[in-house]
Amino acid sequence: VEQAQAALAAAKAGRDTAARDLAGAESLAQLGGVADTQLVAATSRGAAAEAQVAQAGAALGLARSRLDDAILRAPFDGVVTRRLTGLGRMVSPGAPAFGVADLSELELVTPVDQGVAAGLKAGDLVEVRADVLGVAPIEGVVRTVSPVLDAQSRKAEVVVRLGYSPGLFAHGSATATFHLGRAA
């Protein structure tokens, strides 16, 4: 981009010089001091200088576009969790270059017995403890309760929405306590 900006500045300087030369040639032509061929040559140099400015402007636009294409942006705020490519390598369209996780909101997905699932609904509060020592319990909210039992385990999947809390890790483990009336 900087190289293209410099080329555009040089082209504009060349255009300004050609414009001054043309203005001087036209003034001399009115006094009869310049041959018609010299006036035509000055006009051509001016047109060529304008074309060079246009070409340098287009090159600058292309350089800016390529710079934008070289910057990777995630569609959400998050944390880079892994790098899947090396520095300076080309990345094919659609191929992941980085793993990015949004840790502002985590989910706990857990299978529960059908009797427990029957007593749960979206919006119910859940107490969640990470299996890491020293982490205080946090409050979660039931997001969904699957209406279908797993064919092998005969359990329903419950998804609990959790806010960010230090000590909770994506793909980590935690324990959820569902309060169903008096029993937990």
Side-chain angles (χ1 to χ4, degrees):
V1 169
E2 290 173 1
Q3 188 176 27
Q5 287 172 330
L8 179 59
K12 286 180 177 179
R15 177 191 61 193
D16 294 346
T17 300
R20 282 193 300 276
D21 290 349
L22 178 59
E26 287 173 339
S27 295
L28 286 175
Q30 289 176 352
L31 301 173
V34 171
D36 286 342
T37 56
Q38 290 175 318
L39 184 58
V40 169
T43 302
S44 294
R45 284 191 300 273
E50 278 297 331
Q52 287 177 338
V53 168
Q55 183 180 15
L60 177 58
L62 180 61
R64 286 183 173 147
S65 176
R66 287 183 174 164
L67 179 61
D68 285 345
D69 289 345
I71 297 171
L72 299 176
R73 290 181 183 87
F76 56 87
D77 290 338
V79 176
V80 174
T81 58
R82 63 189 182 280
R83 187 168 80 181
L84 303 170
T85 188
L87 185 63
R89 288 203 161 142
M90 290 288 289
V91 179
S92 300
F98 296 93
V100 180
D102 178 4
L103 300 179
S104 64
E105 185 175 285
L106 298 175
E107 289 182 341
L108 173 67
V109 180
T110 185
V112 298
D113 292 326
Q114 73 181 40
V116 174
L120 294 175
K121 64 184 179 317
D124 285 350
L125 297 180
V126 180
E127 182 181 291
V128 177
R129 288 184 181 274
D131 293 341
V132 179
L133 295 175
V135 176
I138 63 168
E139 189 174 87
V141 178
V142 173
R143 179 176 276 169
T144 60
V145 178
S146 175
V148 178
L149 298 178
D150 180 78
Q152 292 179 334
S153 68
R154 309 298 299 158
K155 294 184 182 241
E157 182 179 273
V158 175
V159 178
V160 178
R161 182 179 55 234
L162 307 169
Y164 174 75
S165 178
L168 285 181
F169 294 95
H171 305 291
S173 60
T175 303
T177 303
F178 300 98
H179 297 278
L180 307 169
R182 289 189 194 164

